[in-house]
Amino acid sequence: MLSTVARSVLLTLFVASNTVFASPTRSTLPKLSPYAVKDSHPVPSKWSRVAPAPGDHLINLNIGLKSSQFDVLEKHLYEVSNPSHHRYGQYLTADEVNEFVKPTDNALDAVHDWLLEHGIEQLELDYSPAKDWIKIDLPVAAVERLLNTSYSVFADKDGSQIVRAPVWSLPLHLHEHVETIQPTNSFFRPLPLKRGVVPVKSDHTTMNLAQMPDAPPAADSTDLTVAQACNASAVTPLCLRTLYGTINYKPKAAGANKVGLTDYLMEANNRSDVSVFLQKYRPEAALAAYQFEVDVIAGGDNQQTPDNATQLAAGKDLEGNLDAETILGIDYPTPLVAYTTGGSPPFKPDDLTPTNTNEPYLTWVNYVLGQSSIPQTISTSYGDDEQTVPKSFATKVCNSFAELGARGVTLLFASGDNGVGPTGDCFTNDGKNESTFLPEFPASCPYVTTVGATKNQNPEVAAFDPRNGFVSGGGFSNYFTRPSYQEPLVTDYVGSLGDIYPGLFNKNGRGYPDIAAQGQSFITIWNGSITLLDGTSAATPTAAAVISLVNDALIAAGRAPLGFLNPFLYSEAYKTFTDITSGNSMGCGTAGFPAQPGWDAVTGFGTPVSLENRLISYPLIRTIYVPPVLFVGRLG
């Protein structure tokens, strides 16, 4: 038994040790600097303030810290994505990427101290894989104190509501460490191309095959010409596979090679509808409708029961079905992964916010970055006006896409369905209300490949459908400067425009789209019946499916997949694309940008068709980009 003296000594040592090693308390924290405004963003014109936000409304706060070495990561990204560099295809591991992206220890310590000052312990925090994002669930009242701000309820013209704070502040000493905090002043919503997939019949009226004039051949055939396989009024997988020269290619690396798609806004991929589609248009792939993987993230939707009347009226799963049917119809048997993201948890529907208003792109990309295995090609058919997103947040999310590119993932995003912008809405939201074209985000991010849409087959032209106003989107970013890989081709295009549209677009911005694919009058099975859909959200999964087959050929040959495509695309690979020289990205009451020879802000470099003699002409493309068995288009 210990003596009283011994017990006293041990107690003294115990207290001392806890004094030394315990977490800091508020009284021991360094004194915080005064608050100052860190970021502000104008409320878009389509949103209006309704009322103060209830103090108990729960917010999933995401704190974005500055990466310690993003410039180094970007250098690696361009080296491993450039075929002329000796490191081409030598992609980074997740750990290597995280090492460049992680914040400094000083930044983490400063943010932890600030949070502790407000009673938030480290044990309450969640982190992204690189710890450059910190997540915490807090009521509005607590966030208002934390950011010295006031949250309000804002309503869109469509009736939806969100809780946001247009201006927020931080202690001055944190300004150098924190890049963005959301949800605060971002009014971005990942709509399916703003107006989304555009039904030819606006009330989603459906039809059966017998009702369709000149229905294209349903049976698969490798001997048809493009003219025989395609019907411009109803596009099928047979048409796409024939047009883009993949119909004779049989995947050899299925399993090692995968393709992914993303679902947002409670969209799902209805297996029953996908099965009906494949039975009709790719019979040997029919079982894939019940075999593709669905990865549900943060309460995403995977509803497989029939839609109710409200869901049918809203066109629920039109986008999800279009994506899955298009990819499986072209890529089978390449495994498909469907990511369905509901937004960061927790989300509890109530009268204030009946739908999830968290930031799903951020939720999705942080989830995927934490995975050890990622599909080599991922298609995303969603976007919104760039100016609805604070530049700080857009930049941070865009940089996250660069992380995936450095790991060898090809990300494709749709360019939008309103040309240079929807007429009547083309004004700045900075309070000046000046006329402007409206670029899209994430289409404007320089670390993704953006896809425009075409129609018809011989020749293909930029997509435009007067029945519903669909126009393939394109333009120039107001946030992101032109990346070096776009020089001099995009600069030459801007120069060719002369003085057209003065002040309406940023002549030095990142130009998009990069490429294009068919995107009009796609046959889609939805709610058990056929509907026709337009959209760059049809073109994007089409392009993703074709690129995924290129990756299959590369992997089967023992080579690395394409990864971030743009440096290669702008230096060499564009030579294998069919140039689209007719059409415009009309919008904002103008004719928009014209399609013309070479790169243009309507269809990029064009569509992925290459005749065999072109492949022979470009040995670099043939040996590194794709074996000659692929992309052998048959015209006629």
Side-chain angles (χ1 to χ4, degrees), residues 4-36:
T4 302
V5 174
R7 287 200 301 271
S8 177
V9 171
L10 287 175
L11 180 60
T12 301
L13 291 173
F14 175 77
V15 172
S17 66
N18 275 273
T19 301
V20 173
F21 297 110
S23 298
T25 64
R26 295 188 197 186
S27 61
T28 64
L29 290 173
K31 183 175 178 59
L32 300 180
S33 57
Y35 272 75

Side-chain angles (χ1 to χ4, degrees), residues 395-633:
T395 300
K396 185 69 173 172
V397 172
C398 181
N399 289 353
S400 297
F401 296 149
E403 296 177 48
L404 287 173
R407 290 176 60 178
V409 179
T410 302
L411 296 176
L412 294 102
F413 281 82
S415 69
D417 291 351
N418 294 291
V420 294
T423 299
D425 292 335
C426 301
F427 302 98
T428 61
N429 66 341
D430 57 1
K432 299 179 181 179
N433 207 37
E434 296 177 338
S435 296
T436 185
F437 289 166
L438 296 176
E440 294 266 330
F441 180 81
S444 61
C445 172
Y447 305 123
V448 305
T449 299
T450 304
V451 185
T454 61
K455 67 174 183 177
N456 302 338
Q457 288 84 38
N458 194 14
E460 289 183 86
V461 300
F464 164 60
D465 194 336
R467 295 171 294 181
N468 51 35
F470 162 58
V471 184
S472 183
F476 299 86
S477 174
N478 289 321
Y479 286 175
F480 303 104
T481 58
R482 186 167 304 135
S484 59
Y485 62 73
Q486 288 198 311
E487 298 291 359
L489 299 174
V490 175
T491 298
D492 291 345
Y493 175 79
V494 173
S496 74
L497 299 175
D499 296 328
I500 192 172
Y501 310 134
L504 294 182
F505 71 99
N506 177 17
K507 293 186 176 183
N508 299 310
R510 186 271 206 255
Y512 72 92
D514 303 298
I515 58 175
Q518 288 279 306
Q520 189 161 316
S521 296
F522 270 48
I523 287 182
T524 306
I525 299 296
W526 174 72
N527 191 35
S529 300
I530 290 174
T531 188
L532 298 177
L533 298 177
D534 295 347
T536 51
S537 50
T540 306
T542 298
V546 174
I547 289 171
S548 179
L549 291 180
V550 175
N551 278 333
D552 179 273
L554 291 170
I555 292 170
R559 297 175 179 145
L562 290 170
F564 176 41
L565 183 59
N566 291 9
F568 187 18
L569 177 66
Y570 281 81
S571 63
E572 286 286 347
Y574 73 89
K575 299 170 185 176
T576 67
F577 282 65
T578 294
D579 198 4
I580 309 300
T581 59
S582 178
N584 295 76
S585 58
M586 63 191 74
C588 295
T590 73
F593 297 112
Q596 61 187 44
W599 184 91
D600 57 65
V602 192
T603 59
F605 287 116
T607 57
V609 178
S610 177
L611 299 180
E612 187 172 9
N613 61 351
R614 288 191 186 178
L615 289 170
I616 293 172
S617 300
Y618 301 110
L620 176 65
I621 305 298
R622 186 176 71 253
T623 59
I624 296 181
Y625 182 50
V626 54
V629 68
L630 266 178
F631 290 166
V632 180

Side-chain angles (χ1 to χ4, degrees), residues 152-334:
S152 298
V153 180
F154 292 87
D156 193 358
K157 291 179 180 178
D158 65 8
S160 58
Q161 295 185 335
I162 60 176
V163 172
R164 293 294 185 266
V167 181
W168 55 276
S169 301
L170 285 177
L172 278 169
H173 74 283
L174 293 180
H175 283 216
E176 65 177 305
H177 300 308
V178 176
E179 291 186 319
T180 185
I181 297 179
Q182 296 296 338
T184 51
N185 52 9
S186 174
F187 289 80
F188 172 78
R189 295 191 302 168
L191 304 178
L193 283 312
K194 199 168 183 292
R195 293 195 327 192
V197 290
V198 185
V200 171
K201 295 179 179 292
S202 59
D203 59 355
H204 305 317
T205 300
T206 57
M207 63 193 82
N208 57 48
L209 272 177
Q211 295 173 298
M212 293 182 60
D214 301 320
D220 200 12
S221 172
T222 60
D223 297 324
L224 298 175
T225 65
V226 169
Q228 293 170 329
C230 292
N231 179 338
S233 65
V235 175
T236 67
L238 176 61
C239 171
L240 297 172
R241 295 170 66 212
T242 305
L243 177 65
Y244 295 145
T246 68
I247 195 163
N248 290 310
Y249 181 75
K250 299 186 183 303
K252 304 175 181 63
N257 180 51
K258 295 182 180 181
V259 61
L261 63 83
T262 61
D263 294 315
Y264 299 102
L265 301 174
M266 306 311 287
E267 282 285 303
N269 316 100
N270 186 276
R271 294 185 186 275
S272 176
D273 283 341
V274 176
S275 176
V276 172
F277 178 88
L278 293 175
Q279 287 178 49
K280 186 66 179 176
Y281 297 108
R282 190 79 192 269
E284 73 272 26
L287 289 178
Y290 294 97
Q291 295 171 341
F292 68 86
E293 178 183 348
V294 176
D295 203 340
V296 178
I297 305 168
D301 186 271
N302 188 27
Q303 176 183 331
Q304 296 300 325
T305 55
D307 290 345
N308 59 38
T310 301
Q311 292 171 328
L312 289 173
K316 182 185 184 304
D317 299 341
L318 274 169
E319 177 66 67
N321 286 5
L322 171 63
D323 288 347
E325 291 169 7
T326 300
I327 290 175
L328 289 172
I330 297 172
D331 262 17
Y332 176 80
T334 302

Side-chain angles (χ1 to χ4, degrees), residues 343-360:
S344 300
F347 172 73
K348 297 179 180 178
D350 55 28
D351 292 338
L352 175 64
T353 52
T355 58
N356 201 318
T357 64
N358 288 313
E359 304 289 354

Side-chain angles (χ1 to χ4, degrees), residues 129 135 295-298 339 362-371:
K135 296 173 284 184
D295 203 340
V296 178
I297 305 168
Y339 297 100
L362 179 59
T363 301
W364 175 78
V365 73
N366 279 336
Y367 172 84
V368 173
L369 284 168
Q371 306 304 301

